[in-house]
Amino acid sequence: MIMLEEKTLLDLLYKRAHHIKTRTHSWETLLCFVGYVASVLLADIRTLPFKIQIIIIIIGLLYFAIFIASLYGSHYSVDAFYQDIVRAGENHNFSLILLKDSSGNVPNKYLMKKDKRWKCYLFPYLRTLDEKDRNQESVSHFIENTLHISANSCEFMETKEADFTKASVSSNMTKTYHHTFYHIMCDVSSNPQLNKKSTIRIDGQTYKWFSIDDMKNDRRMMERNRDNITYIEKQFI
């Protein structure tokens, strides 16, 4: 059973409206274009003033541009629309890693990862597993194998959960996210790269340290992740 709020469904419909069309519209546009071209070819436009010829050519190009535009989104199928509805109705469960440095080299800042789809820095995240113990092990595995920080130097301070309904930049639809926040203190000196206060590169991924104030001063980050930042500021500081 798909559980979907009316507001979420309306949001999805409006965002997919340009895909919802019939083939009749495209055929009508094509026939108009063909008819226009045929009339131009049958008429001897070479006898017309040069300016008139230019206007006729421009109108023809506009017709062609309208036809091409009418094809946009025509590949959007019933199955694709159904999958969008299913995704809109799902809870998207992610574990967010709120990692701070306990060594004192980078005080009062969180490590954040640059996300290519959202085009801004986000807290490192991974899919939440069903079992809490297994999920915490998965987070520890991420810290040790992806960030190259010794798991023995890390302490899980707090864990909290919350739901957020927001627009997904990557899929252009509203989704409900269930986030599990792991507040973790780690001695990052085991990975010298993380001692940098500027941009950090680890295995091809980009990271950077941000304080809450740094996040709030980043316009794009606040546009796309304000709810998480506000929640963390209230719950973990």
Side-chain angles (χ1 to χ4, degrees):
M1 180 182 293
I2 300 173
M3 301 295 291
L4 191 63
E5 293 183 3
E6 183 179 355
K7 180 181 177 182
T8 302
L9 178 58
L10 284 173
D11 177 77
L12 176 61
L13 288 171
Y14 279 116
K15 287 182 176 176
R16 295 294 186 267
H18 61 279
H19 291 297
I20 301 172
K21 61 182 71 175
T22 65
R23 294 183 183 273
T24 303
H25 175 73
S26 296
W27 281 112
E28 286 176 349
T29 307
L30 177 60
L31 289 173
C32 287
F33 176 67
V34 171
Y36 179 80
V37 171
S39 64
V40 169
L41 293 176
L42 291 173
D44 189 2
I45 66 169
R46 290 174 297 178
T47 61
L48 297 175
F50 180 71
K51 289 183 179 180
I52 301 299
Q53 294 181 38
I54 294 298
I55 291 173
I56 291 173
I57 292 171
I58 290 173
I59 292 174
L61 291 174
L62 287 174
Y63 259 127
F64 184 70
I66 291 170
F67 171 66
I68 295 299
S70 73
L71 298 178
Y72 174 68
S74 59
H75 64 283
Y76 192 66
S77 64
V78 171
D79 182 62
F81 189 39
Y82 172 74
Q83 293 301 326
D84 277 345
I85 292 173
V86 170
R87 284 193 291 269
E90 291 176 342
N91 267 11
H92 301 268
N93 304 321
F94 291 96
S95 294
L96 275 62
I97 300 173
L98 315 182
L99 190 147
K100 281 187 169 182
D101 176 32
S102 61
S103 71
N105 290 330
V106 193
N108 300 317
K109 292 194 175 187
Y110 293 95
L111 185 68
M112 303 190 77
K113 176 183 175 182
K114 191 167 187 179
D115 192 275
K116 292 180 180 178
R117 294 192 304 165
W118 285 67
K119 296 180 180 179
C120 70
Y121 281 92
L122 301 176
F123 294 97
Y125 62 88
L126 57 159
R127 290 279 183 180
T128 300
L129 304 179
D130 292 336
E131 298 177 20
K132 289 187 177 181
D133 290 343
R134 287 184 60 230
N135 195 58
Q136 184 163 320
E137 288 178 9
S138 176
V139 172
S140 296
H141 185 271
F142 177 88
I143 290 171
E144 189 153 35
N145 292 278
T146 303
L147 300 178
H148 306 305
I149 302 172
S150 172
N152 295 328
S153 72
C154 296
E155 181 181 358
F156 285 73
M157 308 297 291
E158 283 185 277
T159 303
K160 295 185 179 182
E161 299 182 32
D163 289 333
F164 303 89
T165 299
K166 59 191 283 187
S168 168
V169 175
S170 59
S171 62
N172 190 30
M173 68 171 65
T174 297
K175 294 181 180 180
T176 296
Y177 296 90
H178 181 79
H179 287 336
T180 303
F181 297 90
Y182 286 92
H183 182 206
I184 306 169
M185 298 294 293
C186 293
D187 183 350
V188 301
S189 59
S190 55
N191 183 355
Q193 282 288 102
L194 291 171
N195 290 324
K196 293 181 180 179
K197 295 181 181 180
S198 56
T199 302
I200 300 162
R201 296 283 293 176
I202 303 174
D203 297 338
Q205 299 296 324
T206 303
Y207 299 85
K208 195 173 181 180
W209 293 100
F210 284 85
S211 66
I212 291 294
D213 285 340
D214 293 333
M215 299 175 203
K216 291 165 73 174
N217 288 328
D218 188 301
R219 181 180 57 82
R220 177 170 290 185
M221 197 181 296
M222 289 299 288
E223 285 177 353
R224 303 184 176 190
N225 206 28
R226 179 187 299 271
D227 49 358
N228 283 347
I229 294 169
T230 301
Y231 178 84
I232 290 164
E233 183 180 24
K234 291 179 178 178
Q235 298 292 327
F236 292 97
I237 294 181

